Structures are given as C-alpha cells and as structure tokens.
Amino acid sequence: MKKIINKSKDVVTQLLDGVAFAQEERLERVAKTGIILRRQIEPGKVAVISGGGTGHEPAHSGYVGENFLAASINGPVFTPPPPEMIVKAIEKADQGAGVFLVIKNFEADVANFLAAEALAIEQGIEVKHVIVNDDCSIEKANFKKRRRGVAGTVLVHKIVSGAAAKGVGLTELVELAEQVVRSLNTLGVALAPGTLPGTKTSQFELAESEISFGIGIHGEVGYREEPLESSEKLANELVNKLKTQYHLQSGSQLAILINGLGSTPFMELAIFANDVRRLLELEGVEIRFKKVGNFMTSLNMAGVSLTFLELQESCWLDYLNLPTDAYAW
Amino acid sequence: MKKIINKSKDVVTQLLDGVAFAQEERLERVAKTGIILRRQIEPGKVAVISGGGTGHEPAHSGYVGENFLAASINGPVFTPPPPEMIVKAIEKADQGAGVFLVIKNFEADVANFLAAEALAIEQGIEVKHVIVNDDCSIEKANFKKRRRGVAGTVLVHKIVSGAAAKGVGLTELVELAEQVVRSLNTLGVALAPGTLPGTKTSQFELAESEISFGIGIHGEVGYREEPLESSEKLANELVNKLKTQYHLQSGSQLAILINGLGSTPFMELAIFANDVRRLLELEGVEIRFKKVGNFMTSLNMAGVSLTFLELQESCWLDYLNLPTDAYAW
C-alpha cells in the first residue's frame, strides 16, 4: 500500500510537525512530545484535554481551539501516549481551575490516562475525567464484551469544552460528561481495511465485494459481513441498530455525526447523510445538529460511522454551536 | 470499486441534497437544479459564483458562505452545468452590483460559463469572469497544450470573494483576479486512480507500485510515472517544478495549498506539508498562508496536489484571512 510518508518510525513526529506548521498561528507542538497545545488558553477556566494513539486524524489535534480542547496528547500509531506525557500536557493546560480528561474506552488508554490523573493530583492539580464508550457494535458472545470509545467522542469534546468555556466547574463537568456519554452511540461500517505505515498488512481481511458492520477504529472485527448493496441499506442497518439504544419518538431531538473512516470521499458521506436524514424524517425525529466529514479516522480505512446523541438539555446544543477555530470542526 | 451510493444516475441529486441537509442553516439547494445558494447574500456587493462538474467535493459548494462564494453551480460528474442553469444562478446571486464568474480552464466549462455570461448580459445583469489555469503540469509534446484549472482555483475564489465583500467593483475584480491567476500554479501527483460511480473503470492505468506526476482532476494523464519513494521526494519534485514558474528568492512571500485528491488520509497530507515547509525554508521563502486538507478532489483518487500563489499585494493575504462559515475552509 502506497503512502505519502518517509521512514515509518518518523510518521508521528512528522505528522505533528505538519499539524503545527499548518496551524502555527493557533497551535504549537510542545518540543519532543506528542502534545499539541493552544497558544491562547483562557485563564480561570477548566482546561479540557484528550488524546490517544495517532492514525485517527484529524483526531485529536483538530479539536484543539477556542471553546474546544486546550491540548491533545498524541501517542504512536494506535497506541496511547505514556502517562508522563499526559501529565506534562495536564501541567501545560492547567489554568488554575483544573483539567478535565476525555478518555476513550480502550484498556491501554484508560490505564495511561488514569495513571496520569493520579500523578497530577499528587502534584496538587485538580483533575477529573470521563470515559467515552459510544461504540454499540454488537459483538459475538466469545468476544470480550465492551463498548469502545469511537467517533462520538468528538461530540463529548465539544460539549464539555463549551461548558468549561462558559465557566462550568470540574465537578459539574463530570456530571455533564457522564450524562452525554449515556446518550451517545456510534456504529461503523468498513468498505475496506486500512494498512499500518511501513507494512503491507491490512487491519483485517475483507472480500473485495463485502463490507463489515461494527468494525472498530483500530480495525477490530465487526459483527457481520455482507455485500454492499446501497447507501440506503447501509443507512438503514446503522439507523436501526442505533435506534435500539434509545426510546426515540416523534419529536425526539438528536445530534448526529457522519464520519468518514479515512479514505471515503466527501461525495459518499453526503449521499449517506441524505439517506440518514430521510430515515430519521420518517420517524419524526428532529435532527437539531449535524456534522458530515472526517472526524475520527482509522488510517486509510474506507467506510463511515454514524453517531447519535440524544439531546437531553438545551445547553448541549448551545455548546455544540459555540464558534471555534479548531481546524477539524 | 465499492462506493456508498445508490443508483449512479441519482448521485448528483443525492449529493446536493446531502450538502443542503448538512448545511441547512447556511445554504439551500435551488429546487431541481444543481445550484447551492447562500441563504444570506450581502446586498449591494458583487456576487462571486463558481462551479463545474461534480466529483470534486468539497468543491464547489464547500466554498459558498460569508466572505466567499454566493453560489455554486454543480453539473453531472465531471461535466459542467448547462448555460441555462448558470444563468439561473447568476439571477439568484445578483444583488444589483453584478456577478463575477470564476471558471476553470476546461473547454466545456469555458464554453458553458461564457454562454451563460452572454445570456445574462442580454437580460441586463452585469457579468464578468476570470478563467483559472493554474495547472502547470508539463505535458508531452503530442498533447494539446493547455493549462487546466485545478485546486488553486479555491484561492482565487477566496481572494476575489473577499475583495467583493469589501466593496471592490466588477471591473477592478477582473484585474485583481487576472493578477492572482498569473501568480498561481498547481501540480498534482496520483498514487491511485479514482473510479466513476457505477463503473469498474479506473480513470487511468497505474501500476500498483507507481505514482503519476502531473495528473489532472479528471484523471488526465500525467507527465511521468515512477515508483513512490518517500514524501520528501514527492515534495522535492513538486516544489522544484513549481519553482520554475517563479523567480522566488529569499523573502518571497507565498500562500500554499496542500490538497488531498479524494482518498488520501490527513496523516499523509500533514507529513507532506511538513516536507514542503522544510524545502521552502531552505530557500528562505516566507509561507504567509497555508491550508492543508481536501479542497478539490477527483472522486476517490489517491494523491496530493501542491499550489503556490506568490503574494503580490498585501490585500491578497487580508482577503485569504477573512473569516468565513463556508464548510470546506
């Protein structure tokens, strides 16, 4: 698989240097780290930070900006950053009102971020967190059952950061974030696997004519493979599975995120969005907020994920709509 | 090639409905046309509009917004809209100060847009245009020699629209636009061809290990094929070819656009951007403005294009930096 990279060992450093260059007026890379930091962080407010492995661009640096994350911490490809680096980001981001961590529910991510939280608290910094587990793919009985943190995490970033920018304190942010996570579900479908830099190995095997429902953002196996028939059928499968997580009725209010997984052209995302819209209109559901684009990818995987967030409080929508200069929004 | 579409005859309609849905607060689709129109167009200013075939998403609808285009006109895949539709867009966009057309240099595009201009002038609307021809790929002697309009067109949109928003009149816009076009060059490289919706036909043939320099946004043949070695080598080839179009020296000021061609992950665009930055730093060239992302694609083609704009006037940078709500900026 051809990739526009240099040595595969340099992928992360050069990616972050590229991001820092492209956004130099707004963001900086903390030297020799995977930390991308806002040049201006509002004083006196809780700083919200997030991160994880790279390979999910524009996550997470694309969400660092005004009314959004104060910093992202970026590890090796598909591997979370070490606790010491997360602690450094906490120190850099803290403006005296504490730091809130948005963590995706993967074992290594949770371990490293919670270890960092404990270390930072020892240093006297107030830190709290939420663990996002929006992936509702139905796993086979013999898989370890867990809900992973995937693209819906981006909506958690936006709402929690918006609340923090409006002066909401650390304890209330935990409550807000947990309520958002409980209302959040994502389901993805892959048309083709991605390949890791410097390898010829695909993330998983998939027949040329088939698609895989329920794949994870690191290529975790899905719940069903079948031929691709149409965007409408895809939308129907994902909407129906997501609906089982809610008691939607006429007048229910949703925010939705339609997320390309890495190599899917915008044309296809827009067509899929149109099919999702039509299905939700049939249900009488109100789509109060929507985003269509590449938000949390998996290298060059082809496919799309669909996220529903049922809007429980009107302030969630206000926070989603706050303006930002973050480059992936 | 699997695509998230329904019937291929419905691709354009469903794409535009998807765009109108995703951006419904800001944009509307004029019923039964390929016109995407701003809901709020500032009165008393020249309206700048552009368009062409679809398949280049987020072009051109992604550039419709505040301080940017008033409308985009979208034809069938890789086929410009008919003159009547362009006339309709001119009528809808005109706020009494005339309409400026940004046309890409393809025979059919130029013919249809100029026919529309003539028809609108007959109706009493003031219309002027610029033809963008930024593609500086070196074509073989037996090809029809011409410079095509490609990704750099987006910078022309932004500068001309910014000037129009600041009250610059139609005649002065022609002068400005022509000066920008003379300072604008783009060169692309494909890693893999795209495929047309509903077909299994690739845009061109390319060996699995090879890349093609100088390809066009419809898959027009490039000037050289060779194996992909590294991002640095790619950057070196493109930067050197682009440099031949300028007399760059230490202190020269550039705006640059690094554009994914459809299925290239952001990770690779950022790494490539970093290599371009390093090469230009060696020359002492100042990069005063840069954008990295998918701006003008070719369906699911893999690859990247690089655009240089030598900044001749400080107001060009001001116009590039004007805020906008256009979704692809």
Side-chain angles (χ1 to χ4, degrees):
Chain A
M1 187 65 206
K2 286 172 281 190
K3 286 184 191 291
I4 304 174
I5 60 173
N6 297 301
K7 290 179 184 152
S8 51
K9 73 173 180 54
D10 296 329
V11 156
V12 174
T13 285
Q14 296 182 348
L15 157 68
L16 296 174
D17 282 347
V19 167
F21 160 63
Q23 299 293 323
E24 66 187 330
E25 293 82 8
R26 286 166 287 274
L27 307 180
E28 61 177 318
R29 179 180 177 199
V30 178
K32 295 181 187 173
T33 74
I35 302 169
I36 296 284
L37 192 69
R38 258 165 75 186
R39 290 193 183 276
Q40 307 282 345
I41 307 181
E42 233 188 327
K45 306 282 172 67
V46 174
V48 181
I49 70 179
S50 188
T54 44
H56 305 300
E57 293 67 37
H60 296 81
S61 305
Y63 310 107
V64 182
E66 192 197 355
N67 292 323
F68 225 156
L69 302 182
S72 69
I73 315 113
N74 304 281
V77 175
F78 289 175
T79 305
E84 307 72 49
M85 196 189 286
I86 303 170
V87 171
K88 189 162 194 172
I90 292 171
E91 292 166 357
K92 293 264 183 196
D94 183 34
Q95 304 296 312
V99 175
F100 189 86
L101 309 177
V102 180
I103 309 170
K104 293 195 298 310
N105 191 31
F106 297 96
E107 208 173 316
D109 287 66
V110 172
N112 288 8
F113 275 84
L114 294 189
E117 177 175 322
L119 288 166
I121 288 171
E122 272 178 33
Q123 291 178 29
I125 304 177
E126 279 196 284
V127 185
K128 294 196 182 294
H129 70 268
V130 71
I131 296 174
V132 183
N133 62 355
D134 56 317
D135 188 345
C136 68
S137 67
I138 293 161
E139 302 183 36
K140 292 177 194 161
N142 59 338
F143 287 171
K144 193 170 168 187
K145 236 184 152 48
R146 64 162 188 217
R147 291 173 60 108
R148 303 168 294 224
V150 291
T153 307
V154 171
L155 299 178
V156 180
H157 293 159
K158 190 66 166 72
I159 292 173
V160 174
S161 301
K166 290 293 180 195
V168 174
L170 206 47
T171 309
E172 292 73 26
L173 286 182
V174 174
E175 217 170 291
L176 167 67
E178 289 181 349
Q179 202 191 351
V180 170
V181 169
R182 281 194 300 274
S183 307
L184 186 71
N185 288 280
T186 297
L187 195 53
V189 58
L191 275 64
T195 46
L196 285 159
T199 75
K200 292 183 175 177
T201 319
S202 292
Q203 292 170 321
F204 50 87
E205 293 299 315
L206 186 62
E208 172 54 36
S209 63
E210 303 232 304
I211 59 175
S212 177
F213 286 108
I215 42 75
I217 55 170
H218 308 98
E220 294 91 340
V221 163
Y223 62 81
R224 194 170 81 236
E225 294 175 10
E226 63 180 38
L228 173 61
E229 289 189 53
S230 68
S231 170
E232 273 185 329
K233 290 252 177 152
L234 276 195
N236 200 48
E237 168 78 15
L238 299 187
V239 167
N240 282 339
K241 277 278 192 307
L242 287 169
K243 271 169 49 190
T244 65
Q245 305 297 311
Y246 299 93
H247 303 284
L248 295 181
Q249 51 198 21
S250 180
S252 291
Q253 302 201 340
L254 286 186
I256 68 172
L257 182 79
I258 286 159
N259 171 52
L261 293 177
S263 66
T264 301
F266 184 81
M267 172 189 266
E268 299 177 38
L269 300 179
I271 290 172
F272 178 77
N274 187 50
D275 287 316
V276 170
R277 171 188 67 81
R278 292 195 300 162
L279 289 167
L280 290 176
E281 276 178 8
L282 289 176
E283 307 276 336
V285 168
E286 282 183 45
I287 305 173
R288 298 296 305 276
F289 182 88
K290 60 264 176 181
K291 293 291 275 185
V292 180
N294 292 329
F295 298 100
M296 188 172 289
T297 64
S298 184
L299 297 166
N300 56 324
M301 188 189 288
V304 64
S305 71
L306 176 61
T307 298
F308 282 4
L309 172 66
E310 189 171 7
L311 295 166
Q312 311 280 357
E313 308 277 351
S314 64
C315 63
W316 296 9
L317 190 59
D318 299 336
Y319 298 142
L320 287 170
N321 282 321
L322 281 182
T324 184
D325 57 2
Y327 70 87
W329 197 245
Chain B
M1 188 66 205
K2 287 172 283 190
K3 287 185 191 290
I4 304 174
I5 61 173
N6 297 300
K7 290 179 183 149
S8 50
K9 73 172 179 55
D10 296 329
V11 156
V12 174
T13 285
Q14 296 183 348
L15 158 68
L16 295 175
D17 283 347
V19 166
F21 160 62
Q23 299 293 323
E24 67 186 328
E25 294 82 6
R26 287 166 287 274
L27 308 181
E28 61 177 317
R29 178 179 177 200
V30 179
K32 295 181 186 174
T33 73
I35 302 169
I36 296 284
L37 191 70
R38 259 164 76 185
R39 290 193 183 276
Q40 306 283 344
I41 307 181
E42 233 188 330
K45 305 283 172 66
V46 174
V48 181
I49 70 179
S50 188
T54 44
H56 305 299
E57 293 67 36
H60 294 83
S61 305
Y63 310 108
V64 182
E66 192 197 354
N67 292 322
F68 226 155
L69 302 181
S72 69
I73 316 113
N74 304 280
V77 175
F78 290 174
T79 304
E84 307 71 48
M85 196 189 287
I86 303 170
V87 171
K88 189 162 196 172
I90 292 171
E91 293 166 357
K92 293 265 182 195
D94 183 35
Q95 304 295 311
V99 176
F100 189 86
L101 309 177
V102 180
I103 309 169
K104 293 193 300 307
N105 191 31
F106 296 96
E107 208 173 316
D109 287 66
V110 171
N112 289 9
F113 276 84
L114 293 189
E117 178 175 321
L119 288 165
I121 288 171
E122 272 179 33
Q123 291 178 28
I125 304 177
E126 278 196 283
V127 185
K128 295 197 182 292
H129 70 268
V130 71
I131 297 174
V132 183
N133 63 354
D134 56 318
D135 189 344
C136 68
S137 67
I138 293 162
E139 301 183 36
K140 292 178 195 161
N142 59 338
F143 286 172
K144 194 170 170 186
K145 235 184 155 47
R146 64 164 186 216
R147 292 173 59 109
R148 302 168 294 224
V150 291
T153 307
V154 171
L155 300 179
V156 180
H157 293 159
K158 188 68 166 73
I159 292 173
V160 174
S161 301
K166 290 293 180 196
V168 174
L170 207 46
T171 309
E172 292 74 25
L173 286 183
V174 175
E175 216 169 294
L176 167 67
E178 288 181 350
Q179 202 191 351
V180 170
V181 169
R182 282 194 299 273
S183 308
L184 186 71
N185 288 281
T186 297
L187 196 52
V189 57
L191 276 64
T195 46
L196 285 159
T199 75
K200 291 183 179 179
T201 319
S202 293
Q203 292 171 321
F204 49 89
E205 293 298 316
L206 186 61
E208 171 56 34
S209 63
E210 302 231 305
I211 60 175
S212 176
F213 286 106
I215 42 75
I217 56 171
H218 308 99
E220 294 91 341
V221 163
Y223 61 83
R224 193 169 84 237
E225 295 176 9
E226 63 179 38
L228 173 61
E229 288 189 53
S230 67
S231 170
E232 274 183 331
K233 291 253 177 153
L234 276 195
N236 200 49
E237 169 77 16
L238 298 186
V239 167
N240 283 338
K241 278 277 191 307
L242 287 169
K243 270 167 50 189
T244 65
Q245 305 297 311
Y246 298 94
H247 302 284
L248 295 181
Q249 51 199 23
S250 181
S252 290
Q253 302 201 341
L254 285 186
I256 67 172
L257 182 79
I258 285 159
N259 172 52
L261 292 176
S263 67
T264 301
F266 184 81
M267 173 189 266
E268 299 176 37
L269 300 179
I271 290 171
F272 178 77
N274 187 50
D275 287 316
V276 171
R277 171 188 68 79
R278 292 195 299 162
L279 288 166
L280 290 175
E281 275 178 7
L282 289 176
E283 307 276 336
V285 168
E286 282 183 44
I287 306 173
R288 298 296 304 277
F289 183 88
K290 61 263 177 184
K291 293 291 275 185
V292 181
N294 292 329
F295 298 101
M296 188 172 290
T297 64
S298 184
L299 296 166
N300 56 323
M301 188 189 288
V304 65
S305 72
L306 176 62
T307 298
F308 283 3
L309 172 66
E310 188 171 8
L311 295 166
Q312 312 280 359
E313 308 278 350
S314 64
C315 64
W316 297 10
L317 190 58
D318 298 338
Y319 298 142
L320 287 170
N321 281 321
L322 281 182
T324 183
D325 57 2
Y327 71 87
W329 197 244

